[in-house]
């Protein structure tokens, strides 16, 4: 893996995360019948998913040497993919359609 691959490999996953998060937010506004508590639970679950990828991102960013970043970038990729999948599952459980990713 060269230096360009470390950042480029994650751009698509970040885009997917932004997309599913935006679709979930818009869907929450349009779904009738979601109580305030359900909306709060959704937001709380999404925050937990986002925190996991933020921690992985910081772990990569704080490494001073490229060679140390590569293994941590794999953890970041798994965290990003997990956040996308988790948000899609939250949406599905709450009757919100996500159209991509």
């Amino acid at each position: 893996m060269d230096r360009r691959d470390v950042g480029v490999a994650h751009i698509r996953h970040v885009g997917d995360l932004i997309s599913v998060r935006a679709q979930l937010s818009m869907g929450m506004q349009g779904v009738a019948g979601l109580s305030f508590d359900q909306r709060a639970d959704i937001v709380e679950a999404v925050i937990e998913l986002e925190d996991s990828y933020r921690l992985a991102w910081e772990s990569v960013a704080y490494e001073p040497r490229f060679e140390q970043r590569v293994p941590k970038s794999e953890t970041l990729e798994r965290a990003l993919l997990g956040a996308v999948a988790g948000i899609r599952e939250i949406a599905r459980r709450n009757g919100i359609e996500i159209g991509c990713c």
Side-chain angles (χ1 to χ4, degrees), residues 55-67:
L55 289 172
W57 190 275
E58 288 172 2
S59 174
V60 171
Y62 290 137
E63 284 299 337
R65 295 172 36 106
F66 173 76
E67 295 76 21

Side-chain angles (χ1 to χ4, degrees), residues 15-40:
D16 290 348
L17 181 61
I18 291 168
S19 180
V20 296
R21 181 66 176 94
Q23 289 181 65
L24 178 64
S25 293
M26 294 300 294
M28 284 173 59
Q29 294 176 19
V31 174
L34 280 181
S35 70
F36 178 78
D37 287 341
Q38 286 172 302
R39 291 172 193 269

Side-chain angles (χ1 to χ4, degrees), residues 38-71:
Q38 286 172 302
R39 291 172 193 269
D41 289 343
I42 290 170
V43 170
E44 189 174 307
V46 169
I47 287 171
E48 288 177 19
L49 291 168
E50 290 177 343
D51 283 347
S52 94
Y53 86 78
R54 281 190 192 114
L55 289 172
W57 190 275
E58 288 172 2
S59 174
V60 171
Y62 290 137
E63 284 299 337
R65 295 172 36 106
F66 173 76
E67 295 76 21
Q68 295 167 319
R69 289 181 182 186
V70 172

Side-chain angles (χ1 to χ4, degrees), residues 1-10 60 63-70 73:
M1 180 176 286
D2 73 21
R3 292 179 189 277
R4 289 171 285 156
D5 292 338
V6 171
V8 173
H10 302 100
V60 171
E63 284 299 337
R65 295 172 36 106
F66 173 76
E67 295 76 21
Q68 295 167 319
R69 289 181 182 186
V70 172
S73 69

Side-chain angles (χ1 to χ4, degrees), residues 7-19 77 80-81 84 101:
V8 173
H10 302 100
I11 290 173
R12 184 175 64 88
H13 300 312
V14 170
D16 290 348
L17 181 61
I18 291 168
S19 180
E77 184 171 16
L80 286 166
L81 290 170
V84 170
C101 320

